[in-house]
Amino acid sequence: MHILIDIAGGIALLLWGIRMVRTGVTRAFGSAIRRGIAVATRRRLTAFTTGMAVTGILQSSTATALIVSSFGGRGLIALPAALAVMLGADVGSTLVVQVLSLDVSWLSPLFLLIGVVGFLRTEDSKRRNLSRIMIGLGLMLLAIRLIMLASHPLREAETLSVVLRPLTDEPLLAILLAAVLTWLAHSSLTVVVLVMTLASLHVISLQLALALVLGANVGGAITPLIMTLGQPSAARRVPLGNLLMRVAGAAVCVWTIPYVIPYLGAVSFDIGHRVANFHTAFNLALAIVFLPFVGGVAAIVMKILPEQAATDDEKQPRYLEQSALDSPTVALSCASRETMRMGDVVADMLARSMEVFRRDDSSLVKEVERCDDTVDSLHEAIKLYLTRLARNELDPSESRRTIEILSFTTNLEHVGDIIDKNLMELASKKIKAHSSFSKEGFAEITSMHAQVVANLQLALNVFNSGDIKLARKLLEQKVHIREMEQRFSEAHYARIGAGRLESMETSSLHLDVLRDLKRINSHVTSVAYPILEDAGQIASSRLRAPKPADDNAESPASDADTESR
């Protein structure tokens, strides 16, 4: 039992090392990798080499598949080109196996030393991510050594031989077993390394090892397909096409294993190298066979997953790519885009709210209220997305941006609630009572509403750009709106004092609308505070210093001193 625990521990350490390398690479170079995939897919051969290079760096064909699937789901890459990228990704994943099949375990302490020292001695995010890569490589090499040491006693384990021997004569069952293990581990690299180790120690036969490698290749294509099940059909086509090609290749190669073994022995005497060479040869053969026919494979996939009728569900997020969560910079960009979309919905609600008061249209009230459901749904999606992102180690600037997005989306959600639950309720009361604002009063409300709408658009620009001058301008508007609300309220009271019947009948509605517009503006302008705070242009306190005890005179506070957030 302790042998199996030791092996399981080594496998867990290998998985963690692979994850550290992948996250380090995506955090340091995630944006560049995604741009490279997007640009280098115009020709099949270029797409193939790009997929091979990216996966060789990421050490995960699954990560590449998720990136390409997200591009395919948004129509940024044609399906044949995406399948060519995946053929390259499958070959790229074998390059790591080739390196690990060599005896380079002596590099483990060196990588760990360089990585840990570099990680502890710098606060720069890129250097820390490079150090993370070195630590991950060191852990991978250490894990392989631990697995080999723990597997030595299995040579004499007769029970294990009795269990595994029948699999040699049942290659399909061996493929299925390896595919399931790969899906559970979410890493074909880990399973192939384990098979290499067991084969090199003669725990399993070479013939069984090759069948298990085929299963690992099939299982490696299952993982991204399952991870994209909830996405549109356009995003699921890439992993499905990759799976079909691997299954077809494994179905053909499984019967050729006995004939291939002699040729593997001619290339290398080491059994571990033979397993690695077969893994590489299998994926190269797939590329050679299918690369000229990716168009035909794409056509088959399109028949299995045809275009769905466009439902265009406004409540569903469009830009929150799950594959970007390993790259905080990219993920924050996705969240920002979705926040801008959420802001556009709120802006549309705010603009249409005045039409409701102008036209007394009950059906328009319902439309505006339905928009708030979209705002709530997008707010929840963005919040959950950023919560998942926060599980990663973020640098100070990334953490700050995360908080800014969460804060702004929360304020937008509050604006939507004010429009839905306050302004639309007031509009419904006005419609039900068949009342009308005075001409002057409605002009005042319209003027204030137009300024708040303009401030919301300015706030979206400030959020997107982080421009300090725009942030100052936005914050100045808070004082302006407060003064407008006060001036218009006084004018309304003057009309009541003059006996204007319309003003008296709509007094409560009029004042409540002005108050709600002011509240909306307060939420809108809040986006300027963190930007101006970072720039050192906001004092930590707006209170004046206390006057001497003998000075009883009080000077009026200026707007800048009294204005609260």
Side-chain angles (χ1 to χ4, degrees):
M1 179 61 71
H2 73 277
I3 297 175
L4 296 179
I5 293 175
D6 290 343
I7 294 175
I11 293 172
L13 186 62
L14 179 59
L15 285 170
W16 188 253
I18 294 171
R19 186 181 187 280
M20 287 195 72
V21 173
R22 186 179 72 249
T23 56
V25 170
T26 52
R27 291 179 189 181
F29 310 106
S31 300
I33 288 173
R34 297 171 75 86
R35 284 196 301 270
I37 293 177
V39 171
T41 54
R42 297 172 184 173
R43 297 181 179 179
R44 294 179 184 180
L45 187 58
T46 306
F48 171 80
T49 55
T50 300
M52 184 169 61
V54 168
T55 306
I57 296 171
L58 288 176
Q59 301 189 15
S60 172
S61 59
T62 298
T64 306
L66 293 176
I67 294 173
V68 176
S69 296
S70 68
F71 287 174
R74 289 184 287 146
L76 299 179
I77 181 174
L79 183 55
L83 294 177
V85 172
M86 289 312 304
L87 287 173
D90 297 339
V91 175
S93 66
T94 70
L95 301 179
V96 183
V97 175
Q98 288 289 344
V99 174
L100 296 179
S101 67
L102 305 174
D103 185 14
V104 291
S105 58
W106 58 273
L107 289 172
S108 175
L110 180 61
F111 286 159
L112 289 172
L113 177 63
I114 296 174
V116 171
V117 171
F119 191 86
L120 296 177
R121 293 192 61 177
T122 182
E123 293 297 327
D124 180 74
S125 60
K126 189 163 188 177
R127 291 180 181 176
R128 297 194 86 177
N129 286 326
L130 293 175
S131 298
R132 181 189 298 273
I133 296 171
M134 298 300 290
I135 295 173
L137 291 172
L139 292 178
M140 288 174 62
L141 297 177
L142 177 61
I144 293 172
R145 184 171 181 80
L146 291 177
I147 293 172
M148 291 191 67
L149 291 175
S151 301
H152 273 288
L154 294 179
R155 287 181 172 182
E156 286 77 32
E158 296 183 0
T159 303
L160 184 62
S161 299
V162 171
V163 172
L164 295 178
R165 190 177 299 118
L167 290 177
T168 305
D169 300 323
E170 296 291 341
L172 295 181
L173 184 60
I175 290 176
L176 179 61
L177 175 63
V180 172
L181 290 175
T182 303
W183 171 67
L184 292 174
H186 280 42
S187 172
S188 60
L189 173 61
T190 301
V191 175
V192 172
V193 168
L194 178 61
V195 170
M196 282 170 45
T197 303
L198 296 178
S200 62
L201 295 174
H202 301 285
V203 175
I204 60 176
S205 67
L206 180 58
Q207 183 171 340
L208 175 58
L210 300 187
L212 292 174
V213 166
L214 292 178
N217 278 276
V218 173
I222 293 174
T223 301
L225 180 62
I226 292 178
M227 294 177 71
T228 56
L229 283 180
Q231 298 184 23
S233 59
R236 288 181 283 138
R237 290 174 188 146
V238 177
L240 176 61
N242 186 41
L243 177 61
L244 292 178
M245 290 186 291
R246 287 204 186 190
V247 169
V252 172
C253 289
V254 66
W255 309 113
T256 64
I257 289 177
Y259 308 102
V260 171
I261 290 177
Y263 295 98
L264 294 175
V267 176
S268 175
F269 293 103
D270 182 83
I271 294 183
H273 288 166
R274 296 180 193 179
V275 175
N277 290 338
F278 177 78
H279 182 44
T280 301
F282 170 74
N283 284 283
L284 279 175
L286 279 184
I288 293 171
V289 171
F290 284 107
L291 193 58
F293 304 106
V294 287
V297 176
I300 295 173
V301 172
M302 289 290 291
K303 289 183 178 179
I304 299 175
L305 292 175
E307 289 288 349
Q308 296 175 331
T311 57
D312 196 22
D313 188 355
E314 292 292 332
K315 296 182 182 180
Q316 296 301 316
R318 297 176 182 173
Y319 306 111
L320 302 181
E321 297 181 26
Q322 301 302 313
S323 62
L325 286 171
D326 281 338
S327 180
T329 302
V330 178
L332 289 172
S333 177
C334 294
S336 296
R337 291 182 67 190
E338 199 67 56
T339 301
M340 292 294 291
R341 178 178 167 235
M342 179 181 174
D344 289 340
V345 177
V346 173
D348 182 59
M349 289 178 64
L350 183 58
R352 297 168 75 184
S353 63
M354 195 49 54
E355 282 298 309
V356 175
F357 285 101
R358 180 178 289 109
R359 293 161 46 186
D360 290 338
D361 189 342
S362 297
S363 61
L364 192 55
V365 171
K366 298 298 182 182
E367 291 180 16
V368 173
E369 290 175 344
R370 282 194 293 271
C371 287
D372 187 55
D373 295 336
T374 300
V375 172
D376 292 340
S377 179
L378 294 179
H379 175 242
E380 188 67 20
I382 295 170
K383 182 173 63 176
L384 292 176
Y385 185 78
L386 292 178
T387 300
R388 290 188 61 190
L389 176 64
R391 297 172 186 170
N392 298 326
E393 182 181 342
L394 305 179
D395 63 31
S397 63
E398 292 166 348
S399 297
R400 187 163 55 250
R401 183 57 174 169
T402 300
I403 294 172
E404 288 175 1
I405 296 173
L406 286 172
S407 176
F408 189 51
T409 54
T410 300
N411 279 292
L412 288 175
E413 194 268 339
H414 288 332
V415 171
D417 285 343
I418 293 172
I419 297 172
D420 176 27
K421 297 177 174 60
N422 292 75
L423 287 179
M424 292 302 98
E425 183 178 344
L426 294 173
S428 297
K429 288 181 180 180
K430 178 176 177 292
I431 295 170
K432 186 175 181 180
H434 302 287
S435 56
S436 299
F437 294 117
S438 67
K439 182 178 179 181
E440 297 87 345
F442 190 65
E444 292 167 356
I445 291 175
T446 303
S447 174
M448 187 170 176
H449 173 268
Q451 187 60 59
V452 175
V453 170
N455 290 346
L456 176 54
Q457 293 298 332
L458 179 59
L460 291 173
N461 289 332
V462 169
F463 170 78
N464 195 40
S465 66
D467 187 270
I468 296 174
K469 291 182 179 179
L470 291 179
R472 288 185 65 90
K473 180 180 179 181
L474 179 62
L475 202 55
E476 290 168 358
Q477 287 297 316
K478 187 170 185 179
V479 178
H480 178 59
I481 290 294
R482 186 189 63 192
E483 293 174 344
M484 287 183 71
E485 190 259 350
Q486 184 176 357
R487 186 171 66 253
F488 291 159
S489 296
E490 291 173 352
H492 174 72
Y493 287 130
R495 288 190 293 272
I496 291 178
R500 295 286 296 274
L501 181 61
E502 289 176 324
S503 297
M504 288 187 288
E505 288 180 347
T506 60
S507 179
S508 177
L509 288 174
H510 185 100
L511 295 175
D512 285 345
V513 170
L514 293 178
R515 180 204 61 195
D516 289 335
L517 289 175
K518 178 184 173 183
R519 289 175 58 204
I520 289 172
N521 192 73
S522 295
H523 287 295
V524 165
T525 55
S526 65
V527 70
Y529 285 108
I531 296 171
L532 295 177
E533 283 176 349
D534 289 342
Q537 298 195 19
I538 291 185
S540 59
S541 173
R542 291 175 174 75
L543 297 176
R544 286 186 180 276
K547 296 292 184 180
D550 59 346
D551 187 359
N552 294 323
E554 293 185 5
S555 61
S558 67
D559 287 333
D561 294 319
T562 59
E563 175 64 16
S564 66
R565 295 188 191 181

